[in-house]
Amino acid sequence: TFNGHRLSEARFKGQYFKNHPIRLEVQAAEGRVVTGWRILRTKGRKTFIEERTGAILTMSMPSCSRLAIEPLFSPPDDSDGLN
């Protein structure tokens, strides 16, 4: 979800206001857990990469020309005992 709104696709392509709050939450596939987030922020010709831990990402929209946020997942759960 993006600020509590379910998205129809796994991506949001649009504009958002600088310094406004962003809250992201992902429904992980069965046996997977969101462990963190990779944030790629482009400003001019420079790209900055940041990683944060936690299942939910809360941040303010940075000043940038492009922003990509990817969830990081735990390895698949192999609790059924089959290898």
Side-chain angles (χ1 to χ4, degrees), residues 6-25:
R6 186 173 292 251
L7 299 176
S8 59
E9 297 181 36
R11 68 176 46 213
F12 170 79
K13 283 183 79 173
Q15 295 180 340
Y16 199 63
F17 300 103
K18 183 177 98 175
N19 296 324
H20 280 239
I22 295 174
R23 185 177 190 275
L24 293 177
E25 191 171 355

Side-chain angles (χ1 to χ4, degrees), residues 12-83:
F12 170 79
K13 283 183 79 173
Q15 295 180 340
Y16 199 63
F17 300 103
K18 183 177 98 175
N19 296 324
H20 280 239
I22 295 174
R23 185 177 190 275
L24 293 177
E25 191 171 355
V26 173
Q27 180 90 30
E30 185 71 31
R32 307 288 298 267
V33 175
V34 176
T35 59
W37 302 85
R38 180 172 295 121
I39 303 163
L40 295 94
R41 179 175 53 94
T42 303
K43 190 168 186 174
R45 293 184 172 179
K46 293 185 177 182
T47 298
F48 305 91
I49 301 171
E50 176 185 357
E51 289 193 1
R52 296 193 187 181
T53 59
I56 298 172
L57 175 67
T58 303
M59 61 182 274
S60 292
M61 178 67 184
S63 175
C64 59
S65 55
R66 183 174 186 274
L67 179 69
I69 302 172
E70 306 167 349
L72 303 174
F73 296 98
S74 65
D77 181 12
D78 192 22
S79 61
D80 62 5
L82 301 174
N83 292 328

